[in-house]
Structures are given as C-alpha cells and as structure tokens.
Amino acid sequence: MSRRIALSVAASVVVLGGAGAFVVAYAGEQTPVLGHSTARYTAPDGDRDGSLVFVTDVTASSGVKSVKVLAWPQESPFAEKELTAKDMAAVESAVCKPSGQDTVRCTYTAGVTAADAESSPRGAWHVAVLATAQDGTTTLNPEAADFTVR
C-alpha cells in the first residue's frame, strides 16, 4: 500500500511541477496591459495653439518596446472597419518613462493649430494605442480614451 501512495505522490509532483512550469512560461508571454489612459484636448484660442495630450501606463513583464498613438474621429472609416496593428504601424510614438518595476508612463502630445481645428470633424474622438513589448507581444486598444472637439 505504501508503494502505491509513494507512486501517487511522485506522479502528482511531476504533474504539478509541469503545470507550474507552464504557468511560468505563459506568464512571461502575456501581452502588455494598458491602464489609467486619459486624453485632454485643448482647442486653439485666438493666437494661441491648442493641444492634445494623451497619457497611459503600460505594463509588460519583458519591458515595453514601443507605444503608438492615433487620434481618430468617431465619424470615420475606422468606426466601421476596426483598426488593426497594420493601420497603427506608421503612426507617431508616445514618449515613455519608467514608473514602476515593469511599467512605463507614456505621454503623447500633439499641437493643434487654428487651421487644424477648423478642418477637424466636430464631435467625439477616440485615441487608439498599440503597445509592443520587448518579447514582441502586442496590445491594441482602438478606444483607449475619448475626447470631444467642439
């Protein structure tokens, strides 16, 4: 009887050890996580330019390689056809600075001239974010934050 128990315990250790190794391997390949995303739009006023400032925290266990940002109006082709990582390839990058063990705080700032504001669609806008980790995993959030152009 004690031999069966010993074999059961040994088999359990092997199974649990293998499951633990799988969990550790899987944890290393998790996609980047976005958090605390905000957008602030300031319209131009008189001779003063406006701006769009977007801030987000990105956490990736392997480190953050890049964060791409795209502001897009709700009334656009992207509303019908979802954004893809390919759509985000050529957009501008945010500037990221360490803010924790595996986390960076990324800021994207764009100036808005009176001409920009005049030609921009009015209404709701969204900010899309593509975060890429050092291990190549990605997270795409097409509506990480919203703002309104009046």
Side-chain angles (χ1 to χ4, degrees), residues 82-100:
E82 282 196 32
L83 278 166
T84 65
K86 187 175 180 180
D87 295 325
M88 298 289 290
V91 303
E92 296 180 4
S93 295
V95 175
C96 301
K97 296 182 179 179
S99 67

Side-chain angles (χ1 to χ4, degrees), residues 11-98:
S12 296
V13 168
V14 169
V15 168
L16 290 175
F22 173 76
V23 168
V24 170
Y26 178 74
E29 295 179 15
Q30 290 180 335
T31 60
V33 176
L34 303 174
H36 308 291
S37 300
T38 60
R40 187 180 74 239
Y41 173 78
T42 305
D45 185 21
D47 62 347
R48 181 184 54 83
D49 285 346
S51 65
L52 169 64
V53 178
F54 172 77
V55 178
T56 191
D57 292 333
V58 182
T59 302
S61 58
S62 68
V64 177
K65 181 177 181 181
S66 68
V67 175
K68 303 278 192 158
V69 178
L70 174 67
W72 59 278
Q74 184 169 313
E75 300 299 321
S76 75
F78 293 133
E80 296 172 15
K81 176 192 159 272
E82 282 196 32
L83 278 166
T84 65
K86 187 175 180 180
D87 295 325
M88 298 289 290
V91 303
E92 296 180 4
S93 295
V95 175
C96 301
K97 296 182 179 179

